[in-house]
Amino acid sequence: MKLRVPAAAALAAATAATLATLSSPALASASAATAAKPAAKPAVKDAATALRVRPLTGAAVFYSYTDRIGIDRYEPGKGFTRIGTPSDNFEFAASPDGRKVAWITPRGEVKVSQSGRVTTIAKGAVNGGPCLTPTWSPDSRRVAFVNPSKTDASPVTIVNLDGTGRRKAGVTEGVCHLTWSGDGRYLAGYAGSANGVHKLDLQTGKTVKAKGIAYPTHVQSLSPNGRNVIVHMVRRGEPQGDGGWPSQFTPTVVDTVTGKKLPIPVKGRLVGALYLADGRLVVRVAGRTHNDLVVLDATGKRLQTLTEPAKAKNLGLLQVVR
């Protein structure tokens, strides 16, 4: 493995994937509750309506590189709560539920912080550069991480939160800033050589190189069905950085099959974006005193605009909590 210093009318292509997520636990439970009432209205039939009745609260997970790395959960009305302080190697990730943090120690241990307690759930991870971050499954119950390799392609291991169920998921060149699709099927990351983004199919164990992505320096997230990826790219010859989590970045949404860049229908200076497992796209927009989070459905329709706390203006955004 080589390591160098180190959406949208068009998002309608993801609409089918979002509709499919109505079978996810969160949406399915709500539909079941609706159907259980004899006189209730028919169960939700379209994703946009399903998403509108579950507005985001503004809860999110932020991180800071000031002094030691600190990862905090923010909730409106409650403020910031520290949920993790990883060792200073930049290889960390917050869970989608916003309550847990995983990181890799210099000895290759996979640590998890939850409810104020730190445990070791696995060993044998690579600690070879700031981009080799672990990633969480959509249900926040499993962690994936990279194992050592003498080639560009490296094995990836998945383990349960309690340390059980360890298994090899496959081999990929996309080892940097791993992210997990909302349907649970795909992992994606960029190559340490910055030659592209690679997607690992957890059902088949096979990997493919995404089209249309050159000189990536960050992978933020995948659409629920793994088709679209949010990345940050630089031009040939521009600095690639050190592979650490970027506090802010200009997001680009790419269809990994066609290589097409999908527009993000949000005005302003975009400094981040991420997909939620239910199909919503959350876009971070820079402001003078605070940043905003613009929430879109799979067709690009605006569902919400949330105001981040002023304290988070220069912090990195790891998760937006459903």
Side-chain angles (χ1 to χ4, degrees):
M1 174 181 58
K2 298 178 181 178
L3 287 173
R4 289 197 294 201
V5 171
L11 290 179
T15 302
T18 305
L19 292 173
T21 62
L22 288 174
S23 60
S24 68
L27 295 179
S29 61
S31 297
T34 302
K37 299 178 181 179
K41 296 179 180 180
V44 173
K45 293 184 178 181
D46 68 275
T49 300
L51 300 180
R52 282 198 297 271
V53 299
R54 295 171 183 82
L56 300 177
T57 65
V61 179
F62 297 95
Y63 69 93
S64 171
Y65 288 133
T66 303
D67 297 324
R68 298 184 67 189
I69 295 172
I71 300 178
D72 299 301
R73 177 187 174 99
Y74 168 77
E75 293 187 59
K78 295 183 179 180
F80 291 82
T81 302
R82 180 61 48 90
I83 60 172
T85 307
S87 51
D88 299 336
N89 61 359
F90 308 105
E91 297 178 20
F92 58 85
S95 60
D97 65 10
R99 300 187 181 279
K100 298 178 278 289
V101 179
W103 68 91
I104 311 299
T105 72
R107 293 167 54 181
E109 300 167 313
V110 183
K111 298 279 189 180
V112 167
S113 175
Q114 179 181 13
S115 302
R117 181 186 178 194
V118 176
T119 58
T120 300
I121 66 170
K123 297 180 180 180
V126 175
N127 179 267
C131 77
L132 295 173
T133 53
T135 188
W136 289 85
S137 62
D139 61 6
S140 301
R141 295 179 180 178
R142 292 169 292 163
V143 175
F145 58 92
V146 178
N147 298 117
S149 173
K150 295 182 179 180
T151 66
D152 289 345
S154 298
V156 175
T157 293
I158 294 175
V159 65
N160 294 333
L161 185 57
D162 62 0
T164 64
R166 178 169 175 153
R167 72 179 181 88
K168 181 179 176 180
V171 176
T172 181
E173 290 185 44
V175 296
C176 288
H177 294 179
L178 285 176
T179 186
W180 209 318
S181 63
D183 63 5
R185 178 166 179 172
Y186 298 97
L187 290 174
Y190 72 91
S193 57
N195 73 357
V197 169
H198 300 258
K199 193 165 65 174
L200 170 62
D201 187 330
L202 298 180
Q203 287 189 10
T204 66
K206 297 180 178 180
T207 60
V208 295
K209 185 177 181 180
K211 294 184 178 181
I213 301 175
Y215 306 108
T217 62
H218 178 56
V219 171
Q220 181 67 37
S221 67
L222 284 166
S223 60
N225 66 349
R227 171 109 185 198
N228 302 332
V229 64
I230 297 173
V231 297
H232 176 59
M233 294 184 287
V234 298
R235 296 179 180 178
R236 182 190 295 270
E238 290 182 341
Q240 295 179 14
D242 61 5
W245 280 106
S247 297
Q248 297 183 350
F249 68 98
T250 301
T252 300
V253 180
V254 182
D255 183 321
T256 61
V257 176
T258 67
K260 183 178 180 180
K261 309 300 188 295
L262 306 180
I264 302 176
V266 177
K267 295 181 179 180
R269 183 166 66 89
L270 308 188
V271 292
L274 56 86
Y275 280 109
L276 300 184
D278 58 26
R280 282 175 285 187
L281 177 66
V282 182
V283 183
R284 197 179 194 195
V285 185
R288 187 174 61 84
T289 60
H290 65 268
N291 302 323
D292 289 325
L293 298 176
V294 178
V295 186
L296 308 175
D297 71 9
T299 69
K301 180 178 179 180
R302 184 179 298 228
L303 299 174
Q304 287 179 267
T305 299
L306 300 165
T307 300
E308 287 185 358
K311 180 181 176 180
K313 186 178 186 303
N314 297 315
L315 299 181
L317 176 66
L318 287 177
Q319 294 286 354
V320 174
V321 183
R322 291 189 291 162

